Amino acid sequence: MSADSSTATQTVPVLVPTPSPEPYTYALGEGMQAGPGTIVQVPLGPRQVPGVVWNGAGEDAAVDPKKLRPVTAVFDCPPLTGDMRRFIGWVARYTLSAPGMVARMVLRVPAAFEPEPPVPGLQLTERRPDRMTAARERVLALAGESHPMAWTRSGLAHAAGVSLSVVDGLTKAGAFEEIALPPQPVVAAPDPAYGAPDLHGEQAQAARMLTDEVAAHTFSVTLLEGVTGAGKTEVYFEAIAAALAAGRQVLVMLPEIALTQSFIDRFEARFGAPPAPWHSDLPPKTREKVWRQVAEGSVRVVAGARSALFLPFADLGLIVVDEEHDAAYKQEDRVYYNARDMAVVRAKLAHCPAVLVSATPSVETRHNALEGRYRHVRLPRRFADAALPDVALVDMRKSPPARGGFLSPVLLEAMAETLQRGEQSLLFLNRRGYAPLTLCRACGHRFACENCSAWLVEHRFRGQLQCHHCGHHEPVPEACPQCGTFDHLVACGPGIERIAEETLAHFADARVIVLSSDMVGGVKRLRLEMEAIAKGEADIIIGTQLVAKGHNFPLLTLVGVVDADLGLANGDPRAAERTFQLLSQVTGRAGRTGRKSHGLIQTYQPEHPVLKACADGDLEAFYAAQIAERKRGAMPPFGRLAAIIVSANDRQSAEAHGRALRAAAPASGDIMVLGPAEAPLALVRGRHRFRLLVHGSERADMQAYLRAMIAAAPNPRGSVRVAVDVDPQSFL
Ligand code: ADP
Ligand code: ZN
């Protein structure tokens, strides 16, 4: 960092991580160099903050430079590339966020702006000590063989199996000189030729189409579609290999952190080194190293969550978005963005290909592929002999569960048979805890969260009632707080804990594992449990949507979906799509290694077209129906949606501001505003919420409209907050 001293002569616009709509202008001290993209430190109020030198003129550009505050320091860090800066601007415009708030996502690791300190090291010289010992001989022999002939002190002692004092003695005698080693790479360089597989005909053809895109060095989008187990990962690994061979960097996006371990192991087996990881749970030192080495171009492949999109790649050659349909790609906090869509934009600005991967693509992506806007590469068959499971619907009206239970005799029998064969069953229910609602049988009192409009979920294992929205929890009381009656509380409906209880009542000797994201022990425990399952150390697995993804369980041959109606009933326009994707993914877990396998989907509405499509595995019929329906309703991708969420500490202020926004909506033939309506989740963490839905035609300039609407409305006052969600995924 070079410190400022002299009088200011030049000015620069600097984008700082705040909600300000424009960069601020700072004076640049004499001798300071700071072209666009340079990361600098500037004063902001009483604080020092990092910022990026921006293009064009900043606010106050006309002010006399002598009156401006000076740039405090210029970091010794590669500047953000032009395409990264354009990306920040693009995301800000599209999501109606302040560019500074988008830049904030890039500048989150300030410790990485300074170069990593060099590591002290030793290098062999020509001089040899007068006195030799066996230990000294070993050290010198080892050091003489190695390439390059530079070691860390402890690394050398360890490798030679001697104490540090032996190495120090040799250094003193002049056999080694002390040098500065470059900082350790956070991961070794992947080798594109390391574990190349033998791809069979269709796979090889698909891989060639992707590697051609990589070689073309231009923007393109390809949908790589194929049933689970078809080898999509193997195929896109070839595209990664091609980008690596061309000397470029690769970003692989994955929706779920808990699953990255199995991905990382697989990547390492293919490329001889793991990818650099990127997600919110990374230790700070690793974060710093990854950020810095990505900026310098020495990290070649990053596997990360959606925030990896904001890493400052030096030379991006390929972006892969695995499970592109996954809802986890949507961020709904501060800057609302869909990382899948923004990945396509990033690729476009970086002039590199994007590959979207899924067994059940989003309706939008599939439509783009069918229309020829995206290339469509398909892998229709499972690899080797692995057959897709037979999937059947269980009509719960015809084979109802026993009183108080949730598992039908059909499913229980299939579980018994699977157990007998020594194979595994998976019961899937997307509901954590024991029961989603607790009520008092005497007075009808229902236990609700005091901060949110949500029922408290009983977690029997912990003896708690929990709110899944704000985290509020309280012990399960012995008596009803309303009427005081003892022992009259009843659990309504099932959560996975309750399904586990029912399972154990039927199969007392079975080894049952319950998996959910809020499990005690977190991600680490989850990983261990998954490994145990893969090794066959469980008979029955009961889990939430977490188990739907990733992982190969070779012994798994039966998947039971406890309540398929759950996802279809929540009033979300994407409910059908989500249910189809989830159920396909869950049932796709079974039979991945050639054994005969089954999926049983419990439902009270077996005639529902989405469930029928799941049972028939009729992807084409499903997408055709969905696309027709979206077209009729002018829903995305045939129309555009944005949500405006107004929240406040009191209901009245939220509603009043919602109305003011509505009143400020310009008249338009292309765009319609609905609401404000109280949000389905009307109260979250003590904040009252109202929603407006803005629905436009395919051609509508949604962003311009929203901007005009917000500008014409009064500024939010007091506790009122306005959030804009372009292309909303959630309607709660
Ligand atoms: P997908 O990503 O489509 O679900 P994967 O790439 O995970 O499929 O492949 C499924 C399984 O088959 C994996 O265990 C993978 O290693 C194996 N596999 C797929 N293609 C090949 C191949 N050509 N050679 C060896 N193993 C393969
Ligand atoms: Zn709550």
Side-chain angles (χ1 to χ4, degrees):
M1 207 192 278
S2 56
D4 160 68
S5 54
S6 54
T7 50
T9 50
Q10 269 184 297
T11 65
V12 279
V14 177
L15 192 59
V16 291
T18 71
S20 156
E22 297 291 336
Y24 295 126
T25 305
Y26 288 88
L28 203 54
E30 209 168 313
M32 271 190 179
Q33 295 289 331
T38 307
I39 301 178
V40 293
Q41 182 169 303
V42 292
L44 186 73
R47 293 179 301 148
Q48 292 286 332
V49 297
V52 190
V53 175
W54 216 238
N55 326 40
E59 215 159 73
D60 316 319
V63 172
D64 176 0
K66 292 206 177 62
K67 298 206 172 114
L68 291 170
R69 301 178 80 181
V71 170
T72 321
V74 175
F75 288 106
D76 182 4
C77 179
L80 298 187
T81 57
D83 61 67
M84 190 66 197
R85 280 177 284 135
R86 279 189 290 280
F87 182 61
I88 292 172
W90 205 99
V91 173
R93 276 190 302 280
Y94 190 83
T95 61
L96 269 83
S97 311
M101 292 307 279
V102 181
R104 188 177 159 274
M105 298 194 283
V106 181
L107 300 177
R108 257 187 207 157
V109 198
F113 303 157
E114 298 281 13
E116 293 180 72
V119 181
L122 299 175
Q123 185 166 283
L124 196 62
T125 65
E126 299 293 316
R127 293 182 52 192
R128 291 294 169 268
D130 302 333
R131 196 176 58 83
M132 280 305 244
T133 63
R136 285 185 164 191
E137 296 274 10
R138 270 210 306 284
V139 174
L140 290 171
L142 187 70
E145 284 164 8
S146 69
H147 288 281
M149 280 186 270
W151 290 80
T152 61
R153 179 170 159 262
S154 57
L156 183 55
H158 185 79
V162 302
S163 71
L164 285 170
S165 62
V166 176
V167 175
D168 291 346
L170 283 167
T171 308
K172 221 181 217 159
F176 290 106
E177 69 182 327
E178 293 179 41
I179 56 162
L181 293 174
Q184 281 288 310
V186 66
V187 284
D191 172 3
Y194 183 81
D198 273 331
L199 296 181
H200 69 64
E202 279 160 349
Q203 291 178 331
Q205 202 179 343
R208 209 168 314 116
M209 290 179 74
L210 297 186
T211 53
D212 284 351
E213 297 295 339
V214 172
H217 256 222
T218 53
F219 170 62
S220 64
V221 189
T222 306
L223 166 59
L224 174 59
E225 179 181 344
V227 292
T228 43
K232 297 186 293 301
T233 313
E234 299 293 340
V235 167
Y236 76 66
F237 276 178
E238 294 318 292
I240 295 174
L244 287 174
R248 311 191 73 192
Q249 290 174 296
V250 178
L251 166 59
V252 184
M253 306 221 296
L254 304 162
E256 208 67 56
I257 324 167
L259 299 170
T260 46
Q261 194 52 47
S262 59
F263 175 85
I264 285 173
D265 294 345
R266 234 178 121 176
F267 187 97
E268 192 166 357
R270 169 64 183 84
F271 293 104
W278 187 262
H279 52 74
S280 53
D281 282 351
L282 229 47
K285 266 273 163 286
T286 312
R287 266 178 104 68
E288 284 164 40
K289 274 183 165 287
V290 173
W291 196 99
R292 180 80 195 186
Q293 294 175 13
V294 165
E296 287 171 346
S298 55
V299 155
R300 309 297 305 285
V301 182
V302 173
R306 58 190 182 219
S307 57
L309 208 47
F310 295 93
L311 281 171
F313 288 92
D315 180 23
L316 201 48
L318 170 68
I319 303 180
V320 177
V321 184
D322 204 348
E323 308 288 2
E324 70 88 30
H325 62 275
D326 202 292
Y329 283 124
K330 182 70 192 248
Q331 164 157 307
E332 292 170 349
D333 179 32
R334 286 179 215 255
V335 178
Y336 286 57
Y337 68 91
N338 186 323
R340 190 261 329 273
D341 297 341
M342 294 306 116
V344 170
V345 174
R346 183 95 166 83
K348 181 163 188 178
L349 295 173
H351 307 290
C352 76
V355 178
L356 311 180
V357 185
S358 179
T360 52
S362 64
V363 172
E364 281 88 344
T365 297
R366 202 146 196 294
H367 176 67
N368 281 331
L370 294 180
E371 293 286 297
R373 274 193 286 275
Y374 293 174
R375 274 155 227 254
H376 201 175
V377 176
R378 311 183 68 162
L379 290 173
R381 258 175 291 278
R382 275 194 161 183
F383 176 68
D385 301 327
L388 279 169
D390 285 334
V391 180
L393 301 178
V394 179
D395 185 342
M396 297 298 274
R397 295 165 308 190
K398 291 200 188 120
S399 49
R403 210 179 132 70
F406 302 91
L407 304 176
S408 66
V410 179
L411 180 52
L412 286 169
E413 198 184 311
M415 288 167 73
E417 286 167 6
T418 308
L419 202 55
Q420 234 159 35
R421 283 197 304 270
E423 296 171 349
Q424 291 173 326
S425 306
L426 163 71
L427 296 183
F428 170 80
L429 177 65
N430 216 1
R431 243 186 203 159
R432 292 177 281 146
Y434 185 84
L437 169 68
T438 304
L439 58 76
C440 169
R441 219 171 343 169
C443 74
H445 173 70
R446 296 167 166 217
F447 287 78
C449 177
E450 57 196 33
N451 313 314
C452 307
S453 33
W455 304 125
L456 292 178
V457 177
E458 182 186 353
H459 287 244
R460 192 159 283 190
F461 180 68
R462 296 183 192 179
Q464 283 180 344
L465 295 171
Q466 283 189 6
C467 171
H468 286 177
H469 295 284
C470 71
H472 165 85
H473 54 85
E474 51 193 68
V476 180
E478 284 172 27
C480 173
Q482 192 82 13
C483 67
T485 313
F486 277 85
D487 297 330
H488 269 60
L489 301 184
V490 283
C492 300
I496 50 171
E497 288 182 13
R498 193 169 194 178
I499 297 301
E501 185 181 273
E502 186 176 348
T503 301
L504 282 169
H506 287 280
F507 308 103
D509 298 331
R511 297 164 302 170
V512 175
I513 287 188
V514 178
L515 290 180
S516 84
S517 57
D518 60 351
M519 205 161 65
V520 195
V523 171
K524 226 186 230 142
R525 156 107 183 272
L526 207 58
R527 237 176 245 159
L528 291 175
E529 299 275 27
M530 296 241 192
E531 275 164 32
I533 296 167
K535 279 190 237 144
E537 290 166 15
D539 301 311
I540 301 171
I541 305 123
I542 299 170
T544 60
Q545 70 175 9
L546 207 82
V547 298
K549 301 172 190 175
H551 254 88
N552 275 331
F553 300 139
L555 283 175
L556 183 66
T557 56
L558 173 68
V559 170
V561 175
V562 176
D563 183 357
D565 306 333
L566 196 58
L568 287 171
N570 65 5
D572 178 338
R574 290 178 202 275
E577 181 184 348
R578 293 250 176 279
T579 301
F580 181 75
Q581 286 160 344
L582 196 56
L583 296 187
S584 308
Q585 213 163 17
V586 172
T587 51
R589 292 288 99 209
R592 297 190 57 154
T593 42
R595 293 169 194 254
K596 180 98 201 83
S597 62
H598 305 272
L600 289 173
I601 300 179
Q602 298 196 141
T603 173
Y604 285 90
Q605 39 181 343
E607 64 294 328
H608 195 294
V610 169
L611 300 182
K612 269 201 170 130
C614 289
D616 301 343
D618 195 347
L619 215 72
E620 298 308 327
F622 173 77
Y623 282 109
Q626 280 296 302
I627 287 173
E629 198 180 311
R630 300 265 186 111
K631 206 171 203 164
R632 259 197 313 279
M635 283 294 174
F638 303 99
R640 311 197 54 204
L641 285 181
I644 303 179
I645 303 114
V646 184
S647 64
N649 290 344
D650 61 298
R651 189 176 182 281
Q652 215 172 10
S653 310
E655 182 167 23
H657 195 79
R659 283 188 200 286
L661 274 167
R662 172 64 189 265
S668 160
D670 264 349
I671 297 179
M672 191 167 68
V673 180
L674 306 165
E678 189 155 57
L681 261 172
L683 187 66
V684 177
R685 297 171 206 270
R687 291 182 66 80
H688 295 260
R689 303 165 78 242
F690 277 79
R691 295 178 66 101
L692 293 108
L693 190 65
V694 185
H695 185 183
S697 73
E698 213 174 333
R699 303 181 313 277
D701 186 345
M702 197 62 137
Q703 278 74 11
Y705 187 89
L706 292 166
R707 227 171 262 126
M709 182 170 163
I710 289 166
N715 281 332
R717 285 217 312 261
S719 67
V720 176
R721 300 272 174 283
V722 175
V724 180
D725 183 0
V726 177
D727 307 329
Q729 295 280 320
S730 153
F731 293 81
L732 294 178

